[in-house]
């Protein structure tokens, strides 16, 4: 059900529903303004450090990756009121796992300028063994010198990061994340390579293959040497 009260260009909620339920990334992207922002809160991105994408160059690949997943999408309800809209969505994976989300939209001239989504996943049974495979990650992001792959295992999030030589958070990630320093709490096992970290207060250190590290939020980090850093991270707040 949709209601419309805006006096400017009308936001097309029916086009939104069609795009989502058909997993049509191009049709969905056409509803966004070029300078739009997309914000996500879930078990991996906590309210204190949400995932934020700025502009179409960041939003488009994330949208295409989302709609490429093997799952169905259903818009349960959509309401438009002036320069704001809201909708709820249910996604179902082939194994029956469900994800439900609530999204708020800020509108300008009938297009989305800000999207804020909160989503919840089915908890996997804790009494049965569960195997994850990063080659089929539920969320994957590719950057010039980094790749992030995230999946749910036993109701918890695991993230594999591959960081190429020359990678530095403040140079490669700050713009897309919208913060000066990394605001994620990391708890990671280093598979290969060496990483240097530096806290906002000047505290710094290094971690190398075979070591486990916990790094609080508000830090910078960069790859040491010519070997890529590969690590598996379990967010501290996801426990």
């Amino acid at each position: 059900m949709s209601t419309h009260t805006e006096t400017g260009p009308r936001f097309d909620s029916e086009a939104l529903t069609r795009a989502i339920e058909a997993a049509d990334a191009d049709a969905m992207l056409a509803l966004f303004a070029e300078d739009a922002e997309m914000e996500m809160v879930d078990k991996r991105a906590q309210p204190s450090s949400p995932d934020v994408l700025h502009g179409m160059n960041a939003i488009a690949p994330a949208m295409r990756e989302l709609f490429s997943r093997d799952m169905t999408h259903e818009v349960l309800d959509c309401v438009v009121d002036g320069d704001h809209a809201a909708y709820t969505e249910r996604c179902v994976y082939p194994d029956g796992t469900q994800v439900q989300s609530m999204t708020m939209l800020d509108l300008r001239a009938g297009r989305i300028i800000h999207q804020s989504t909160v989503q919840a996943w089915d908890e996997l049974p804790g009494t049965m063994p569960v195997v994850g495979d990063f080659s089929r990650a539920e969320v994957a992001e590719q950057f010039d010198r980094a790749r992030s792959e995230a999946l749910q295992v036993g109701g918890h999030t695991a993230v594999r990061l591959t960081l190429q030589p020359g990678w530095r958070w403040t140079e490669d990630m700050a713009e897309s994340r919208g913060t000066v320093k990394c605001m994620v709490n990391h708890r990671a096992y280093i598979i290969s390579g060496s990483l240097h970290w530096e806290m906002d207060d000047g505290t710094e250190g290094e971690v190398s293959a075979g070591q486990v590290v916990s790094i609080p939020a508000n830090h910078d980090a960069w790859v040491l040497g010519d070997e890529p850093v590969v690590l598996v991270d379990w967010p501290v707040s996801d426990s």
Side-chain angles (χ1 to χ4, degrees), residues 164-186:
Q164 298 300 325
W167 177 90
R168 183 166 183 160
W169 198 95
T170 49
E171 297 176 2
D172 293 83
M173 307 298 295
E175 182 176 357
S176 65
R177 293 300 185 246
T179 58
V180 176
K181 297 290 181 68
C182 179
M183 301 307 295
V184 175
N185 297 301
H186 295 286

Side-chain angles (χ1 to χ4, degrees), residues 167-233:
W167 177 90
R168 183 166 183 160
W169 198 95
T170 49
E171 297 176 2
D172 293 83
M173 307 298 295
E175 182 176 357
S176 65
R177 293 300 185 246
T179 58
V180 176
K181 297 290 181 68
C182 179
M183 301 307 295
V184 175
N185 297 301
H186 295 286
R187 179 176 53 195
Y189 172 70
I190 312 301
I191 298 173
S192 64
S194 297
L195 192 71
H196 190 100
W197 50 266
E198 182 178 73
M199 301 302 300
D200 193 51
D201 64 1
T203 303
E204 58 185 320
E206 297 177 6
V207 61
S208 299
Q211 294 183 309
V212 178
V213 65
S214 177
I215 305 177
N218 203 13
H219 61 269
D220 190 14
W222 57 91
V223 173
L224 294 173
D226 298 326
E227 182 181 2
V229 170
V230 179
L231 61 86
V232 175
D233 182 29

Side-chain angles (χ1 to χ4, degrees), residues 1-232:
M1 178 181 68
S2 302
T3 60
H4 303 276
T5 60
E6 70 267 30
T7 57
R10 177 180 181 273
F11 177 70
D12 194 342
S13 61
E14 295 180 357
L16 172 82
T17 298
R18 290 194 301 269
I20 292 173
E21 295 189 342
D24 187 336
D26 290 333
M28 189 68 183
L29 291 169
L31 300 174
F32 283 79
E34 285 295 323
D35 58 346
E37 287 188 340
M38 179 182 289
E39 182 177 2
M40 172 68 75
V41 172
D42 56 16
K43 286 180 68 66
R44 184 176 61 90
Q46 299 292 300
S48 60
S49 54
D51 275 343
V52 182
L53 302 176
H54 301 275
M56 291 300 290
N57 287 340
I59 293 173
M63 189 73 69
R64 296 186 194 285
E65 190 281 326
L66 171 64
F67 284 152
S68 70
R69 299 180 197 173
D70 184 13
M71 62 180 173
T72 61
H73 302 259
E74 180 186 5
V75 175
L76 303 177
D77 196 11
C78 181
V79 177
V80 181
D81 185 6
D83 291 331
H84 304 282
Y87 68 91
T88 55
E89 178 184 354
R90 178 168 56 215
C91 301
V92 182
Y93 283 89
D95 65 359
T97 300
Q98 293 193 25
V99 185
Q100 187 154 326
S101 63
M102 299 183 65
T103 298
M104 295 293 297
L105 304 175
D106 295 328
L107 309 172
R108 182 183 63 208
R111 301 181 74 186
I112 300 167
I113 60 169
H114 185 268
Q115 172 175 312
S116 179
T117 299
V118 178
Q119 68 176 9
W121 292 68
D122 277 344
E123 290 288 345
L124 298 177
T127 58
M128 297 293 292
V130 179
V131 177
D133 188 340
F134 280 115
S135 67
R136 295 192 292 272
E138 294 150 1
V139 179
E141 295 181 277
Q142 181 67 55
F143 304 91
D144 287 343
R145 293 187 288 192
R147 180 171 176 80
S148 172
E149 300 153 302
L151 51 77
Q152 293 277 318
V153 180
H156 298 280
T157 303
V159 180
R160 180 171 67 181
L161 296 175
T162 303
L163 312 174
Q164 298 300 325
W167 177 90
R168 183 166 183 160
W169 198 95
T170 49
E171 297 176 2
D172 293 83
M173 307 298 295
E175 182 176 357
S176 65
R177 293 300 185 246
T179 58
V180 176
K181 297 290 181 68
C182 179
M183 301 307 295
V184 175
N185 297 301
H186 295 286
R187 179 176 53 195
Y189 172 70
I190 312 301
I191 298 173
S192 64
S194 297
L195 192 71
H196 190 100
W197 50 266
E198 182 178 73
M199 301 302 300
D200 193 51
D201 64 1
T203 303
E204 58 185 320
E206 297 177 6
V207 61
S208 299
Q211 294 183 309
V212 178
V213 65
S214 177
I215 305 177
N218 203 13
H219 61 269
D220 190 14
W222 57 91
V223 173
L224 294 173
D226 298 326
E227 182 181 2
V229 170
V230 179
L231 61 86
V232 175

